[in-house]
């Protein structure tokens, strides 16, 4: 193993070169700090570097899913669609890296294996899988919330004779499915985006579905030049509104480029069955967007689910397939919203078969395909669209040690504990970006990333200005924050007993069932973070 002497000149080691790591590097360098990024992949982009599966795209309007920190960058970049596809977002990330000369301080193909706080020097020792050590005053984990693909353990997995892919680790060279029989496991966002595109290319596609999802038509379209011009003019307002909003999105992309923005104002409980039926016939799935009470009230949610299922049966020609595609056992809105392009229509194609695993689950993978309790299915290529070990997965893969050699893995044994999603008690000078306990995955992530990095940058500047060497969350502040995070999540669809989402860790066997993100809203959360900093870093301990 190659080993270099710790480089004591570094102020910050940043792990990860997605949008969070890139902005962190830019910000810290701007402050005159020595910063270095360590990234497992061979280029920038994070999510958009790894998830190159067919159909991958953003579901936030492009003009909103972009950095706000540089006004010239905002003006010079031209998005081409209301919601950008993966290649365009990756190109944007690459453009940002070029424009701010980021790559010179990023070490690619470098996976971090461990990070330990040395109490004598007050420095983090970060060690890579290749055995290289980096020492820095601060360590920023920009490792991503959806960066560790989850491949379920299935008997016979290794015996499959054909090629195997995971949507979250797609080959850079792409995959040509022409003439091939393909099997895909999973119908979350990644499955729902890729299924229609793979079906168009493959000779045959078999979709293995365990739980049907709720998904809304994306109504994506090319961006009209006039819209883009207006958006650029309006950027200061758009950004201000995003920051004050619940989820960091103002829906600015809709209404101008093609899709219509509908503010939910009506109450579904005040409608009659006949009215709801008429609306489904006129507006399809999108009719549900009118109702403001669906996310708040169980009965309203049930009515919306009925409308949803009515529309599924209108779109799908085969009644048995339609029934299999209807979600029934959990409320709409408890999982991450999914939007799609031609998802349901795909199941009317001759070359697509849906296997409803609720009628008989997967028993084993064979050399030729997949064996279930309801029969054998043969294919040439297997695609896992089975999601991620979300929010804590990437941190759990690094051996992180705080004071007294306590391992983060052990400290989080019963579920993640943080103060503001930014720090963990006992782990001084370690920051998590969009960590558990922050709005994170419930928001437009770029808005939340920028807020976290700005807060961390200001915090480091304040520490330096006062001559403080370390900052760490107190356990009391951590307890109080966790109690608040749980309290606001209570009685929402997110924590319904019947909900098994990755927000709750329910997709990973053995993971504690804890609702991880903060549902209080982007605007409210920003105010809380700003107040903590202003109030002399209340809840944190600063040591000289
Ligand atoms: P990432 O982009 O995940 O980057 C983390 C980086 O850290 C990765 O490059 C990884 O290789 C690296 N890393 C991790 N561990 C290590 C280690 N031990 N050593 C070295 N490097 C390491 N969010 C939205 O707001 N809107 C969307 O529409 C949206 N669409 C999405 C679509 C997909 C398919 C997925 C998977 C996620 C989507 N997200 C979306 C969430 C998305 O992850 C964030 O928007 C954002 O890109 C996260 O940036 P990040 O820098 O925090 O993390
Ligand atoms: P996901 O939502 O967790 O979906 C995984 C799918 O795999 C589910 O249908 C799940 O079924 C299935 N699955 C997992 N293990 C299985 C097993 N052993 N047998 C059968 N089926 C199994 O993952 P994802 O689709 O990759 O999406 C993850 C997140 O990434 C999204 O929620 C979103 O935040 C982000 N994302 C966003 C977009 C976008 O549109 N912008 C696109 C892709 C991803 P069960 O439901 O039964 O567990």
């Amino acid at each position: 193993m190659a080993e270099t002497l710790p480089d004591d000149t570094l102020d910050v080691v940043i792990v990860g070169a997605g949008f969070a790591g890139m902005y962190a590097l830019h910000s810290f360098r701007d402050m005159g700090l020595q910063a270095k990024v360590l990234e497992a992949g061979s280029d920038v982009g994070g999510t958009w570097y790894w998830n190159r599966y067919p159909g991958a795209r953003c579901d936030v309007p492009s003009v909103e899913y972009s950095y706000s920190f540089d006004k010239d960058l905002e003006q010079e970049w031209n998005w081409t669609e209301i919601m950008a596809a993966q290649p365009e977002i990756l190109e944007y990330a690459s453009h940002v890296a070029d424009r701010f000369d980021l790559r010179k301080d990023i070490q690619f193909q470098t996976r971090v294996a461990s990070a330990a706080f040395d109490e004598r020097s007050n420095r983090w020792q970060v060690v890579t899988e290749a055995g290289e050590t980096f020492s820095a005053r601060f360590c920023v984990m920009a490792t991503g919330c959806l960066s560790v693909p989850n491949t379920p353990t299935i008997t016979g997995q290794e015996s499959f004779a054909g090629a195997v892919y995971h949507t979250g680790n797609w080959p850079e060279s792409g995959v040509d499915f022409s003439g091939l029989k393909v099997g895909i496991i999973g119908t979350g966002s990644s499955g729902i985006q890729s299924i229609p595109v793979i079906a168009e290319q493959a000779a045959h596609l078999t979709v293995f579905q365990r739980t049907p999802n709720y998904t809304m038509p994306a109504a994506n379209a090319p961006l009209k030049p006039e819209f883009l011009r207006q958006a650029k003019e309006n950027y200061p307002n758009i950004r201000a509104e995003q920051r004050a909003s619940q989820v960091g999105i103002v829906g600015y992309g809709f209404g101008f480029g093609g899709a219509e923005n509908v503010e939910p104002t009506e109450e579904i409980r005040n409608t009659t069955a006949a009215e709801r039926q008429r609306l489904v016939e006129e507006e399809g799935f999108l009719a549900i967007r009118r109702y403001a009470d669906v996310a708040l009230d169980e009965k309203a949610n049930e009515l919306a689910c009925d409308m949803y299922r009515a529309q599924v049966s209108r779109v799908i020609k085969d009644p048995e397939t339609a029934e299999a595609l209807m979600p029934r056992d959990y409320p709409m809105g408890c999982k991450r919203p999914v939007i799609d392009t031609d998802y349901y229509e795909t199941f009317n194609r001759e070359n697509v078969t849906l296997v409803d695993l609720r009628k008989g689950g997967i028993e084993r993978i064979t050399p030729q395909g997949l064996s279930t309790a309801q029969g054998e299915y043969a294919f040439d290529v297997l695609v896992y669209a089975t999601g991620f070990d979300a929010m804590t997965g990437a941190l759990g893969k690094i051996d992180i040690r705080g004071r007294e050699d306590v391992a983060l893995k052990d400290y989080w044994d019963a579920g993640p504990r943080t103060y503001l999603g930014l720090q963990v008690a006992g782990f001084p000078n370690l920051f998590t970006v969009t960590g558990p306990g922050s709005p994170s995955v419930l928001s437009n992530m770029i808005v939340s990333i920028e807020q976290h990095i700005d807060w961390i940058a200001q915090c480091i500047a304040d520490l330096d200005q006062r001559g403080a060497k370390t900052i760490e969350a107190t356990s009391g502040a951590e307890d109080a924050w966790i109690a608040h995070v749980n309290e606001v999540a209570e009685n929402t669809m997110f924590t319904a007993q019947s909900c098994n989402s990755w927000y709750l860790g329910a997709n990973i066997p053995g993971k504690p069932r804890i609702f991880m993100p903060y549902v209080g809203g982007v605007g409210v959360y920003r105010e809380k973070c700003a107040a903590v900093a202003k109030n002399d870093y209340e809840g944190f301990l600063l040591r000289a």
Side-chain angles (χ1 to χ4, degrees):
M1 280 207 306
E3 191 166 337
T4 54
L5 285 176
D7 175 356
D8 283 342
T9 59
L10 278 181
D11 293 300
V12 195
V13 165
I14 302 157
V15 188
F19 283 124
M22 291 167 69
Y23 180 49
L25 176 61
H26 174 69
S27 303
F28 300 151
R29 276 197 334 206
D30 243 24
M31 293 162 61
L33 299 176
Q34 295 295 319
K36 178 145 204 123
V37 180
L38 306 174
E39 164 58 53
S42 48
D43 206 349
V44 296
T47 285
W48 306 101
Y49 168 90
W50 297 106
N51 290 261
R52 298 166 193 253
Y53 61 83
R57 81 168 57 246
C58 187
D59 60 3
V60 172
S62 318
V63 296
E64 297 197 48
Y65 188 77
S66 57
Y67 284 127
S68 71
F69 69 84
D70 188 278
K71 302 305 154 211
D72 294 335
L73 172 65
E74 266 179 351
Q75 293 302 316
E76 75 199 13
W77 185 261
N78 293 315
W79 295 106
T80 65
E81 290 179 272
I82 299 178
M83 284 162 282
Q86 173 272 330
E88 191 171 14
I89 304 175
L90 187 58
E91 207 183 309
Y92 173 73
S94 184
H95 169 75
V96 173
D98 288 342
R99 198 183 190 287
F100 299 100
D101 198 11
L102 298 180
R103 288 189 184 87
K104 72 169 191 237
D105 290 317
I106 306 177
Q107 186 168 314
F108 293 107
Q109 293 179 302
T110 303
R111 190 170 281 284
V112 168
S114 68
F117 184 68
D118 174 14
E119 295 190 55
R120 283 162 309 171
S121 62
N122 284 327
R123 294 179 75 85
W124 279 90
Q125 310 296 335
V126 177
V127 184
T128 70
E129 279 186 354
E132 218 177 334
T133 303
F134 296 85
S135 159
R137 295 195 289 138
F138 298 94
C139 178
V140 174
M141 291 294 177
T143 42
C145 291
L146 295 159
S147 55
V148 175
N150 163 47
T151 303
T153 305
I154 303 174
T155 312
Q157 213 150 25
E158 303 310 318
S159 70
F160 184 65
V164 178
Y165 303 100
H166 193 294
T167 50
N169 187 7
W170 204 257
E172 233 176 297
S173 52
V175 179
D176 183 2
F177 291 109
S178 308
L180 296 175
K181 285 186 285 177
V182 182
I184 184 166
I185 303 176
T187 51
S189 299
S190 305
I192 286 176
Q193 282 189 332
S194 55
I195 284 164
V197 188
I198 297 175
E200 274 190 11
Q201 204 184 60
H204 191 272
L205 177 65
T206 309
V207 177
F208 297 93
Q209 171 197 267
R210 190 165 63 182
T211 312
N213 228 316
Y214 299 97
T215 164
M216 289 283 167
N220 192 28
L223 268 183
K224 293 179 182 155
E226 176 55 16
F227 163 77
L228 199 56
R229 194 192 59 72
Q230 282 184 33
K232 286 183 181 182
E233 254 177 48
N234 253 316
Y235 254 134
N237 295 331
I238 296 173
R239 301 307 192 188
E241 275 188 55
Q242 284 182 315
R243 291 178 191 135
S245 70
Q246 173 72 19
V247 294
I249 303 170
V250 292
Y252 192 82
F254 306 112
F256 294 89
E260 191 196 354
N261 189 27
V262 175
E263 274 297 313
T265 49
E266 298 164 41
E267 299 239 312
I268 198 168
R269 282 169 301 181
N270 299 335
T271 57
T272 63
E275 272 172 67
R276 294 196 294 275
Q277 178 63 24
R278 180 183 58 77
L279 269 173
V280 165
E281 281 163 22
E282 283 172 10
E283 297 180 12
F285 293 110
L286 295 179
I288 296 162
R289 293 185 304 173
R290 294 164 170 271
Y291 304 113
D293 49 349
V294 170
L296 308 170
D297 180 87
E298 243 173 75
K299 183 68 198 152
N301 198 288
E302 276 171 30
L303 293 175
C305 293
D306 284 344
M307 283 175 82
Y308 187 93
R309 287 186 285 266
Q311 178 61 9
V312 173
S313 69
R314 292 180 73 244
V315 179
I316 305 292
K317 289 183 187 147
D318 171 50
E320 200 185 332
T321 307
E323 181 55 38
L325 285 166
M326 289 178 194
R328 286 194 183 278
D329 313 326
Y330 65 99
M332 183 183 287
C334 89
K335 296 188 181 188
R336 166 67 154 74
V338 182
I339 63 173
D340 72 272
T341 302
D342 297 336
Y343 178 61
Y344 285 115
E345 290 77 358
T346 299
F347 292 94
N348 290 332
R349 293 176 67 108
E350 295 277 300
N351 70 334
V352 175
T353 305
L354 177 70
V355 179
D356 180 358
L357 294 173
R358 291 171 303 177
K359 292 186 182 152
I362 297 174
E363 285 177 340
R364 56 170 39 249
I365 293 181
T366 66
Q368 296 77 31
L370 217 148
S371 173
T372 73
Q374 43 186 314
E376 306 276 328
Y377 300 88
F379 41 81
D380 310 304
V381 179
L382 173 59
V383 176
Y384 287 102
T386 44
F388 301 88
D389 184 354
M391 301 207 71
T392 54
L395 295 169
K397 281 195 168 288
I398 303 173
D399 182 11
I400 302 175
R401 305 270 168 164
R403 286 198 191 280
E404 293 170 19
D405 204 33
V406 170
L408 185 70
K409 235 176 276 174
D410 295 336
Y411 189 63
W412 281 8
D413 193 37
R417 301 176 50 80
T418 73
Y419 180 36
L420 298 170
L422 278 162
Q423 265 216 340
V424 182
F427 295 78
N429 292 8
L430 177 80
F431 294 98
T432 51
V433 185
T434 64
S438 73
S440 182
V441 290
L442 295 180
S443 68
N444 174 348
M445 291 285 277
I446 299 196
V447 174
S448 291
I449 284 169
E450 285 192 331
Q451 183 248 343
H452 264 191
I453 300 300
D454 290 346
W455 194 95
I456 296 166
Q458 187 58 51
C459 173
I460 294 177
D462 289 344
L463 293 181
D464 286 351
Q465 207 244 326
R466 305 167 180 213
K469 292 275 180 289
T470 59
I471 179 165
E472 60 192 295
T474 65
S475 358
E478 199 175 75
D479 287 342
W481 183 249
I482 293 166
H484 175 62
V485 169
N486 290 337
E487 189 194 345
V488 287
E490 244 173 59
N491 303 321
T492 65
M493 296 301 159
F494 292 121
T495 52
Q497 266 310 311
S498 55
C499 189
N500 285 313
S501 68
W502 58 257
Y503 294 144
L504 287 158
N507 63 327
I508 303 293
K511 200 164 166 171
R513 189 180 165 93
I514 306 273
F515 185 71
M516 293 182 279
Y518 176 59
V519 77
V522 163
V524 170
Y525 173 79
R526 292 177 83 91
E527 281 174 17
K528 286 185 187 290
C529 290
V532 163
K534 195 165 169 227
N535 214 1
D536 212 14
Y537 291 93
E538 193 179 6
F540 291 97
L541 195 64
L542 276 63
R543 287 188 223 239

